Structure formats: C-alpha cells, structure tokens
Amino acid sequence: MSFELRGRARRLGDDINTDYIIASTRKRDTLDTAVLQRYLLETVDPAFATSVRAGDIIVAGRNFGCGSAMEIAATVILAAGINVVVAQSFARTFYRNAINNGLIPVVCDTGAIKEGDAIAVRLIGGASNVHVEALELTFVGAPLPAIMLEILNAGGLAPYMRANAGFLDSVSGPP
Amino acid sequence: MSPQTISEKILSAHIGHDVYAGDVIICPVDRVIGTDASSPMTIDYFEQMGGATLFDPAKVMFAFDHYAPAVTESTRGFHARVREFAGRFGAELHDEGSGISFQRAAELGRVLPGDVVIGADSHTVTCGALNLFAIGVGSSDLAAAMITGKIWLRVPESIKVVITGRLIAGVSAKDVALQLVREIGAEGADYQTLEFHGEGIASLSMDDRLVLCNLAVEAGAKAAIFPCDAITREYLEPRSSKLGASVGADADARYSGIVAVDLSAMTPRVALPHAPTNVVPIEQAIGTPVQMVFIGTCTGGRVNDFHDALRVLELAGRSIFPGVQLVLTPASREVADILDSDGTFARFRAMGATITATGCGACCGTSGVIPGDNVNVLSTANRNFKARMGNASANIYLASPIACAAAAAAGYIVDPRSIMTARTAN
Ligand code: SF4
C-alpha cells in the first residue's frame, strides 16, 4: 500500500480514551456511525463534530484510544471522514481496531504539529512519514508490522478474512 | 531454548514451537468471550467475513452485562440479536442477571491455567489471575476468532512485578493496584504483560489477584498473569473437573522491567477525577464531600469487597450518612447468591443501601444509577474518565471498597484506617 494523504491537522492531547472518542452512553442508543459521528469527541470538545471536515487528520499525543476496547471508536472516526490518526503512541486495542477497519494509525513525533496545520501523511509499504508544510519538516513514522500491512492492504480484517478464508499461515517480518 | 516468561511459555505451547517477545504469531485460542456491548458489532463482522459456523461452539460464550437490565429499546434489540445468534450457532449464553462476562468465565471454570483467552472487553485481562494469557480485543478480532479459532498476536514483553510483605488492616488489593497504575503510568505497560511474582502473593486471595490483573489495563497492559499456586487450585477445584496446565516462568527469563511492591508499606489510595492514573495517598483527598458511593464492577464487586465494606460500615455505626446514596452492584449471580445467603445484603439493605441487578451497573452509564449534576462519586470501579458514568458534570473518585464504605458512613472521604483502628482499640 502506498499513498499520500493531505489534510488539516485536528489537534488532540494525551490519553484520549475511547469513551471520549464516543461515549458508551451514545453507543448504547445506536450503532449507526452516521448518527454517532455527531457526538465524536463531544466530552473533549463539544464543537469538534460540527467543525470536522472529510479529509481532516487527527493528530494526538500519547496513548490515543486508551480505555475500553470498543471498536466503534475507530469506525466513528472513519464515518466522520477521517482516514488517518497520527499519534505519539496508541493504546493496543485501539491500534488493532483501527487497522482492522482500514483506519490508518501512524506513530510519530507529533509535538510540533498544531491545530489546523496542513500536513501530508505518506505511507510507502510499511514505512510512513508525516510532512508538516508550515514547518517544512518531515517526521518519520514507526514501521507497520507485516500482518497489519496485509490487513490494511485488504481494506480491513473483514475483507482480509473473506479473501483468504481465514488467516494466512505465513506471518512475516519483525513487528 | 532460551528461558521464557509465562506469556512466552503459554504462547509457545499453543503454536507448537518456541516464541519470544516481539514474534508475531497466529495463535489458537481456548475461549472466546463476547459481551452485549461488543457482540452486536461482532455479529456484523462475522457476517461480513462470510462466517458460516463457529470454530467450536463449546468454546464461545456471550454474557449480558453492560446493558443488564436492558432499559432501552436499543439494548433490548442488541440482546435479542445476540440471543438469536448464540442459539443458532450453539454458543453458551449468559443472559441478564448472570454477571460480568469474564467474571462468569472464571467462576464457571471456563478459563483454566495455561489457556489463551480473548474477550471483546478490555478487562478480559482480569482472567490472568488464574495463570493464563487473557487479552481484550475489539469486535472484529473476536469475530475472526469465532470463525477460525485463532488470533494474530505479537508476543509481548513482560514486566516483572515482585510482591513482598502482607497488607495491613484498612488497605486492600485495590490500593496496590491503583498505586501500580500510577507508578507504571497510563501507557507504561503498553503491549506488555504484567507478570506477578514474589513471596507476597501467597497472602493475596483470588479476589485480590483479580483486582490486580483488572487494573493492569489502566497501565496499558496487554495481559496480566499470576503464577498457579494453592490458592489457584482451591479456587478452581469446585468449579472445574480439569485444572489446566499450570505455567511458571523460567528462572532467567528476560523482563523489560521490574517493579517492586511491598504490601506491608502500602496505604489507602484515591484516584482523583478524571483519570485512573491520577492516584494520591488518601490523606490528600480527606474531607472531599461525596453524594454517591458505588460499590460494584469487575474491579470491586466481588464477595470480599462487600464483606470488607460491610465490616467498615458496621464499625462506623451501621448507618449511611444522610444524603449519601450507597449503590451496590454484585459482579455476578454467584456473588449475589453468597451475599444474599450469608446475610450481607440484608444488613446493607437495613442501612438504606440500594442493591441493583448484577452486571456492570453504574460503571459506564449504560444500565445503572446515573449520578446527578455536579455530584462527587466515590467508586470501586477502574475508570473515572469524565462522563464515564453518564454525566459529564459528575466527579468520579476511585478507591477501595473499604474506603468507599468509610466515606458512605462519614459523608466525605476519610482514611478508613481511622475507623478500623479506633474501633478495634475500644
Ligand atoms: S464493570 Fe465497568 S469496567 Fe468492568 S466490564 Fe463492566 S463496564 Fe467494563
């Protein structure tokens, strides 16, 4: 998988848990992500959902997606038109859920990126980098493990499973 | 063969050759657990994956806990869908009133030493108290495992937690767990296993161990594992005809870090709003008024927890402070049955406590009591994120069942040791 995606950085802080991405109480009422995206990140910023534009890129600090393993946190972000989350680090359950749904998680140093910055995220095979136009700086992302790349290439875990009728036995490469 | 941690040993045994931290594997699983909160999406993914059967219906179980009782049309719909699915494919279903998914799995002997267990609930990790490798996953990983009986995993590094000493009166495993989360940090154990060791663990009951494994998630841990000992076997014997394959670590196994915990030196702790890592000695929170006290959840809703809380309330004069709402939610039917038959609940009820249906209760605002505006809640739960209990203006503090009971009696946060030592001295 190779692509370049340009977008506007939507800046968030550290330890954004999945309940903050979408509240358990909202998820109780419906699993329709078209409805739920109206409440995206409401606990952190009530104006976020209305200001989000398709193609925006979430840029967060450490431990993005901690807390509950609820997968809807990843799919609501996708429903809002956000296809990439760049963070200093991710909680493991969110990271898996993102990959499994084709939401691309990029781990890199995000400290210098500000709200509204125009950024470009490039993925070339398992390698990634994030270019910040205003700073004329490029941050190198951590490589994706082979199995995750295979799942992303397939478009997520469901298409991967359908295409391969299960897991491919050959698991390659270092994580 | 190089020396191995418990996680490395369990995962090696499952795939048939030696694996070490960092290896990526496709691993067979022994138990797959879904909840009412995660399973509706699991069924969606199952269908999208073209699932036609479960890899082994006897190894798949569902439990209704987050939405029990189902008080909305939406949750009744989720339940109906999961009931139908479980019935159609022959999986075990624990309906409303049974209890929290992985708590039921442990109580019913569905998870055994040496097992690999996955559950679509982050706190599935709790089961590691029984000397097994249990991790939380999302709905899609669960669906893939229901079809194939497998999950892809990166073999985790392990942090060795060495426990010495014994807890003193007024201090409990919850205090130890909160302090561990603070010391390790919200992501300090990310992608890793907390592996418990040391002579101090012999003094920790199974309920204590479940609490320590439960809160490991709040430090980002992928798994948390206790060794198998007499306490493990005593817990399992009445619950299962099999005792599993106990697994210990090799003497020279490699750890990514070592954390020392002296139980004797531990004192009561409180996590302040709005993060479970925001932990301070209770002295720094004394005097904080509370209007709601919640004893329950997969962290603090077991038999020991209610016994501890009752003892404190009785020492404090058998009454709840006027204006404090004390809400009790047993984690499972087994817990509720024991507390009904030994009179614990009757004594709580006589003091005016509200005892709710078993399950997650007020923990994440989906089926229990919702705190009122600007209310301070002291809770035995594991998460105190803003709005977690369904009201963003409530302030959630986390503490042990002992400290929660002491606050219910006083009307504000107090050091429970003051109640326990003052009364014992009389
Ligand atoms: S009690 Fe709370 S933390 Fe535990 S499983 Fe239920 S909602 Fe999750």
Side-chain angles (χ1 to χ4, degrees), chain A residues 110-170:
Chain A
T110 57
I113 307 175
K114 290 188 209 54
E115 170 74 13
D117 279 354
I119 61 174
V121 178
R122 298 190 194 98
L123 200 72
I124 311 112
S128 61
N129 66 52
V130 177
H131 180 74
V132 187
E133 281 168 22
L135 301 174
E136 292 183 23
L137 275 178
T138 301
F139 299 96
V140 178
L144 279 173
I147 173 99
M148 294 191 170
L149 204 59
E150 284 163 18
I151 294 170
L152 268 184
N153 280 336
L157 187 59
Y160 171 96
M161 292 284 296
R162 248 198 341 265
N164 303 310
F167 286 107
L168 294 173
D169 274 336
S170 60

Side-chain angles (χ1 to χ4, degrees), chain B residues 8-19:
Chain B
E8 289 167 338
K9 278 199 178 175
I10 293 177
L11 296 174
S12 296
H14 276 72
I15 66 162
H17 60 90
D18 286 333
V19 291

Side-chain angles (χ1 to χ4, degrees), chain B residues 254-268:
Chain B
R254 290 187 50 184
Y255 294 93
S256 54
I258 297 184
V259 180
V261 177
D262 179 3
L263 298 178
S264 320
M266 190 57 57
T267 58

Side-chain angles (χ1 to χ4, degrees), chain B residues 65-66 100-102 121-123 214 296-299 359-361 363-364 366 381-383 388:
Chain B
D65 45 13
H66 290 67
I100 298 169
S101 65
F102 45 86
D121 188 300
S122 61
H123 290 106
N214 182 278
T297 81
C298 60
T299 315
C360 300
C363 183
C364 67
T366 50
N382 45 36
R383 290 187 179 139
R388 170 78 176 172

